Amino acid sequence: MRNKFIQVDNDLTKAIAFANSLDNNNIINVQKIKQKEFYIPTLDVITKLQDEGWRLSGVAEQRGKNRKISRNYIQLQHPDFAVQNKLGKNEAFTSITLANSSNGAQPLQMSLGIFRQVCTNGLVAFDRHSETENIKHIAINARDLDRFITPMNNKVNKLLTEVNEMKHRGLSIEDMRKLATEAASLRYANLDDINIDDLLVVNRVEDESNDLWTVFNRIQENLTHDITNMKEDIRLNQQLFALAGTFA
């Protein structure tokens, strides 16, 4: 997923300024949106994740047809959980993406992934083993958010292990084209007008390797760069990472 978030550098005041729906009073009194009785504010989840060492990096909002803010999206990163390149430098960090509806009609979603820094716009690869947590807006969840928050750090190590395995799996030209073709079919029903080789184009020197992790990132960037719908972006990227895992 290409980074469509406004960067806020772990500053809650700045985050609320750019994403007014983080202020629950804005949702109720300005947007005039009626919420479920046990609505879980996104801000409550953010502060609990910050207590676990996660840093708030970006915010975004989505408006409905009535122009009211229907959902907010939050990106957090953890500085202690990183993917390193061959030189031992950090090239990516673990990421959590939150998605929460303004009225609570849909569950709050929490997705674990990898935020890759080598691309200036940022890309997120979502973990195929850690399914998105769907936290319903009900009393028991509102009272005990910790049971969703605390396990996230434990899931990170499994994700980093999987990424490192992908970095050590070399792909043949045939395998790369097969991966690109199957990736394209996740987005397009008809591939007749799709040039599969375009998905394998190298956009920067750091992406010249033919290991599974690097090839996956090339395909991901080239396939998703023009998607504007955040929900669709997350869905496709979860499927792409799952697909790449079958080549490990």
Side-chain angles (χ1 to χ4, degrees):
M1 182 176 74
R2 187 176 291 275
N3 189 3
K4 299 175 175 66
F5 296 90
I6 299 173
Q7 301 304 295
V8 296
D9 195 28
N10 207 37
D11 186 331
L12 285 176
T13 301
K14 187 175 181 180
I16 294 171
F18 284 113
N20 299 152
S21 59
L22 290 180
D23 178 358
N24 219 39
N25 289 324
N26 180 278
I27 296 178
I28 298 171
N29 300 321
V30 178
Q31 300 291 322
K32 303 296 183 182
I33 295 174
K34 184 178 181 180
Q35 297 176 325
K36 298 195 73 172
E37 181 180 1
F38 297 103
Y39 182 79
I40 301 171
T42 309
L43 206 56
D44 289 0
V45 181
I46 293 172
T47 54
K48 284 185 175 294
L49 285 169
Q50 286 178 318
D51 290 341
E52 295 291 329
W54 294 86
R55 291 177 57 84
L56 173 59
S57 58
V59 298
E61 291 178 319
Q62 176 179 310
R63 292 184 181 272
K65 294 181 179 179
N66 60 5
R67 300 307 300 158
K68 293 183 179 182
I69 298 171
S70 58
R71 295 173 73 84
N72 54 48
Y73 294 88
I74 309 299
Q75 186 182 73
L76 301 99
Q77 297 171 23
H78 204 302
D80 295 336
F81 301 122
V83 175
Q84 296 185 327
N85 61 22
K86 295 178 181 179
L87 300 177
K89 295 182 178 180
N90 294 336
E91 69 167 339
F93 290 94
T94 49
S95 168
I96 289 178
T97 300
L98 303 177
N100 200 12
S101 58
S102 295
N103 60 9
Q106 297 174 315
L108 184 151
Q109 295 181 322
M110 184 165 54
S111 304
L112 180 65
I114 294 286
F115 178 83
R116 190 166 181 249
Q117 291 186 310
V118 68
C119 176
T120 55
N121 287 317
L123 289 170
V124 177
F126 289 100
D127 182 13
R128 69 190 177 101
H129 290 315
S130 297
E131 294 183 2
T132 296
E133 288 280 5
N134 290 294
I135 308 173
K136 293 183 178 180
H137 296 269
I138 56 178
I140 188 173
N141 292 341
R143 288 195 302 265
D144 189 17
L145 276 175
D146 288 340
R147 66 191 176 96
F148 298 102
I149 303 299
T150 303
M152 295 305 292
N153 285 8
N154 295 328
K155 294 178 180 179
V156 166
N157 290 326
K158 293 182 180 180
L159 174 58
L160 293 179
T161 297
E162 183 171 4
V163 170
N164 284 321
E165 290 175 352
M166 292 172 68
K167 290 168 71 71
H168 288 90
R169 168 72 163 92
L171 295 182
S172 66
I173 297 297
E174 181 181 355
D175 284 339
M176 288 190 289
R177 298 197 83 255
K178 181 179 179 183
L179 175 57
T181 300
E182 293 184 19
S185 68
L186 293 176
R187 181 176 180 187
Y188 302 108
N190 187 345
L191 302 184
D192 291 345
D193 297 326
I194 304 298
N195 185 343
I196 296 302
D197 291 330
D198 286 345
L199 299 182
L200 296 169
V201 168
V202 177
N203 296 311
R204 59 191 61 81
V205 66
E206 294 91 341
D207 286 343
E208 290 181 346
S209 176
N210 288 339
D211 63 86
L212 176 57
W213 169 247
T214 306
V215 173
F216 159 73
N217 278 285
R218 293 208 305 262
I219 293 172
Q220 181 196 34
E221 180 177 3
N222 292 325
L223 184 63
T224 67
H225 69 93
D226 59 344
I227 295 178
T228 57
N229 183 285
M230 191 80 73
K231 187 176 182 179
E232 170 63 14
D233 211 357
I234 292 174
R235 180 203 65 79
L236 178 57
N237 279 281
Q238 287 174 323
Q239 293 182 350
L240 286 173
F241 198 63
L243 171 64
T246 66
F247 283 74

